[in-house]
């Protein structure tokens, strides 16, 4: 690559690592990254804000299974990306953010250069798994080796590379690749030990987390062999749709906690056992998990909860190894009955308002089967996170758990659509959350993506208003006026429909949009929250 700049070489080496799309807003501090982009074969998608770039990269990674990549400018570009990076870290999503930074000699001196930060690298590492600087002409290869190792080994998350202005334009010098140890192999003794514990147990319950979402066939085979109900966290939802052993309900619900409490062995696959999944009502306690066996790629994660047995490894590697040593004859432990009783009790527990919203989600699923359903923090998503059985593995994800960043849904849905152009994408956002990232819809227009943006319009932040009222606080600041979404859709040049919050009406509107090639917008007019008066 003689005569190639560092910026050009970085783009070429991303392509060599199977990067086919980047999300970015070019600026004077990243022009050298764009020098080789046009000829690289990498698709470039332009969001309207760097936060959108990060969330698009996140949605792309969740659907494709490959790292999502964002290009951002020095300073504000990087700081605008920190929220998506934090969301990606919370949800174990592989995202690479590449930023510029000022010239090497100026760094840390506070000279007032354009976009200057006191310590950009130090700021990024507060949320990134790894933050590296391409410090000279022969450091590009080692930096890329380290960040891609982090992206593809162990528990994934966000990583960051910054390239100083003077280095980006300098001539690239190739450096031999570093030798790095692969992930440690799964300990066969731990597999044998776990299998023995599972065989001896009478009532096994499986907890499936996001680490299991790409191993549906293995999970189903394991659950059937153990006759074990499978409780799914939010990031695992969509696994084993309609299966008699599936429990597509939150482990924070009393009904699901009772199921877990009744188990004499709990097998947790790729879940951090975080409170937004397992204790969303903030009781301070998780369900009792007798003889807990945990499987996770992250050694640190395995140490955070007491367990009878821990196995470090990829769920998709561990599950087949367990199947190899389990008896061929399936266990008989009334698993389907236990799962059915739990589903029924959980359905009753979520109450009439949430049941109505889940019925709307079911209507959307029926109108657009096998869709990717991407959400923001809004009432139907809260309802679905409590109880909803999606029909596509990995096809239900949102930012209403974990880090919980508003504004995620619209750009993440765009990234998801680019990752799988054959899929219909349904993006469900509230009128409040939509206003965090509404302009990103124009990126879907630019790319002609088959995304249906569904806005649940209840004229405010109902969940927060309810929480204030329940706490005896005067409801304040929870009624930001929404825009006229019909006029907004017209300005975007996309089809628009407004429907009441009724399953049949929503389903009909969806059926009319799923035949379209490009984006469309549906507004669901939901009841406005009216605070109780003293």
């Amino acid at each position: 690559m003689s005569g190639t700049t560092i910026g050009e070489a970085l783009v070429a080496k991303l392509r060599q690592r199977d990067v086919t799309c980047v999300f970015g807003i070019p600026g004077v501090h990243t022009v050298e990254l764009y020098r080789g982009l046009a000829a690289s074969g990498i698709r470039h998608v332009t969001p309207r804000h760097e936060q959108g770039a990060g969330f698009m990269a996140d949605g792309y990674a969740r659907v494709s299974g490959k790292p999502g990549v964002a290009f951002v400018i020095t300073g504000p570009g990087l700081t605008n990306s920190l929220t998506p990076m934090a969301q990606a870290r919370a949800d174990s999503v592989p995202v690479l953010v590449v930023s510029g930074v000022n010239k090497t000699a100026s760094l840390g001196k506070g000279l007032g250069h354009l976009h200057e930060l006191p310590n950009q690298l130090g700021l990024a590492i507060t949320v990134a798994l790894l933050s590296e600087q391409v410090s000279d002409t022969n450091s590009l290869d080692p930096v890329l080796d380290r960040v891609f190792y982090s992206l593809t080994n162990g528990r994934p998350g966000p990583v960051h590379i910054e390239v100083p202005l003077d280095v980006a334009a300098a001539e690239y010098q190739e450096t031999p690749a570093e030798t790095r140890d692969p992930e440690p192999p799964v300990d066969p003794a731990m597999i044998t030990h776990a299998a023995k514990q599972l065989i001896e147990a009478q009532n096994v319950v499986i907890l499936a987390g996001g680490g299991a979402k790409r191993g549906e066939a293995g999970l189903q085979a394991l659950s059937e062999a153990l006759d074990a109900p499978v409780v799914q966290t939010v990031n695992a939802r969509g696994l084993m749709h309609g299966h008699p052993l599936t429990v597509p309900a939150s482990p924070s619900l009393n009904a699901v906690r009772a199921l877990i409490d009744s188990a004499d062995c709990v097998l947790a696959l790729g879940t951090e056992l975080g409170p937004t999944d397992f204790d969303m009502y903030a009781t301070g306690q998780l369900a009792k998990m007798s003889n807990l066996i945990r499987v996770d790629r992250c050694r640190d994660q395995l140490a955070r909860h007491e367990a009878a047995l821990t196995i470090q490894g990829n769920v998709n590697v561990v599950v087949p190894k367990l199947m190899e040593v389990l008896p061929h004859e399936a266990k008989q432990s009334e698993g389907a009955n236990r799962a059915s009783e739990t589903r029924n009790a959980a359905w009753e527990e979520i109450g009439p308002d949430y049941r109505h919203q889940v019925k709307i989600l079911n209507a959307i699923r029926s109108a657009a089967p096998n869709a990717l359903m991407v959400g923001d923090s809004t009432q139907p998503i809260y309802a679905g996170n409590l109880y909803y059985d999606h029909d596509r593995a990995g096809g239900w994800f949102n930012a209403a758990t974990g880090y919980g960043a508003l504004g995620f849904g619209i750009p993440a849905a765009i990234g998801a659509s680019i990752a799988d152009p054959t899929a219909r994408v349904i993006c469900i956002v509230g009128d409040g959350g939509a206003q965090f990232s509404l302009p990103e819809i124009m990126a879907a227009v630019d790319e002609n993506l088959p995304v249906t943006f569904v806005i649940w319009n209840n004229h405010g932040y109902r969940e927060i208003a309810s929480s204030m009222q329940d706490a005896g606080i005067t409801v304040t600041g929870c009624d930001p006026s929404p825009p006229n979404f019909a006029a907004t859709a017209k300005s975007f040049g996309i089809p628009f429909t407004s429907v009441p919050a009724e399953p049949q009406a929503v389903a009909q509107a969806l059926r009319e949009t799923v035949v379209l090639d490009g984006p469309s917008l549906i507004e669901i007019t939901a009841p406005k929250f009216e605070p109780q008066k003293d």
Side-chain angles (χ1 to χ4, degrees), residues 458-474:
N458 58 12
H459 294 260
Y461 302 137
R462 178 171 178 176
E463 192 76 8
I464 305 304
S466 298
S467 298
M468 283 184 171
Q469 182 170 277
D470 292 345
I473 297 169
T474 301

Side-chain angles (χ1 to χ4, degrees), residues 35-260:
R35 184 182 294 277
L37 193 61
S40 69
I42 295 176
R43 180 179 184 177
H44 183 272
V45 176
T46 306
R48 272 44 180 178
H49 190 280
E50 289 93 356
Q51 181 170 284
F55 285 143
M56 287 179 191
D58 179 304
Y60 177 91
R62 294 189 198 226
V63 173
S64 69
K66 303 191 301 182
V69 181
F71 282 1
V72 301
I73 64 165
T74 308
L78 189 279
T79 55
N80 285 339
S81 303
L82 291 177
T83 294
M85 291 169 70
Q87 185 72 51
R89 179 150 187 168
D91 289 344
S92 304
V93 180
V95 169
L96 168 60
V97 174
V98 181
S99 77
V101 73
N102 287 304
K103 290 183 178 181
T104 306
S106 73
L107 299 181
K109 295 182 178 178
L111 300 174
H113 285 282
L114 180 66
H115 303 326
E116 184 176 2
L117 280 168
N119 183 357
Q120 181 172 284
L121 205 64
L123 181 61
I125 198 58
T126 61
V127 293
L129 297 176
L130 195 66
S131 183
E132 296 265 3
Q133 183 187 99
V134 180
S135 57
D136 52 48
T137 57
N138 58 8
S139 64
L140 176 62
D141 292 312
V143 165
L144 286 172
D145 288 340
R146 288 192 291 270
V147 298
F148 271 88
Y149 181 86
S150 181
L151 286 166
T152 56
N153 289 269
R155 187 182 185 189
V159 297
H160 166 243
I161 295 173
E162 68 176 20
V163 188
L165 283 170
D166 52 322
V167 176
E171 185 172 345
Y172 162 74
Q173 295 181 29
E174 188 170 3
T175 305
E178 295 181 359
T179 300
R180 306 193 67 81
D181 295 331
E183 283 190 80
V186 176
D187 186 345
M190 294 294 100
I191 296 293
T192 302
H193 189 177
K196 181 175 183 295
Q197 189 170 314
L198 291 166
I199 291 167
E200 293 175 351
Q202 298 302 309
N203 295 303
V204 177
V205 169
I206 296 173
L207 306 178
K213 70 179 182 180
R214 298 189 187 279
E216 181 177 43
L219 177 65
Q220 180 171 321
L222 179 63
S223 67
E224 291 171 350
L226 298 172
D227 197 22
V230 179
V231 177
Q232 300 150 25
T233 67
V234 169
N235 282 332
R237 208 66 66 80
L239 291 168
M240 296 173 57
H241 169 66
H243 193 281
L245 290 171
T246 196
V247 181
S250 169
S252 288
L253 293 171
N254 289 328
V256 183
R257 285 190 172 209
L259 172 70
I260 299 169

Side-chain angles (χ1 to χ4, degrees), residues 250-272:
S250 169
S252 288
L253 293 171
N254 289 328
V256 183
R257 285 190 172 209
L259 172 70
I260 299 169
D261 284 344
S262 70
D264 57 358
C265 181
V266 174
L267 175 61
L269 300 174
T271 171
E272 67 179 0

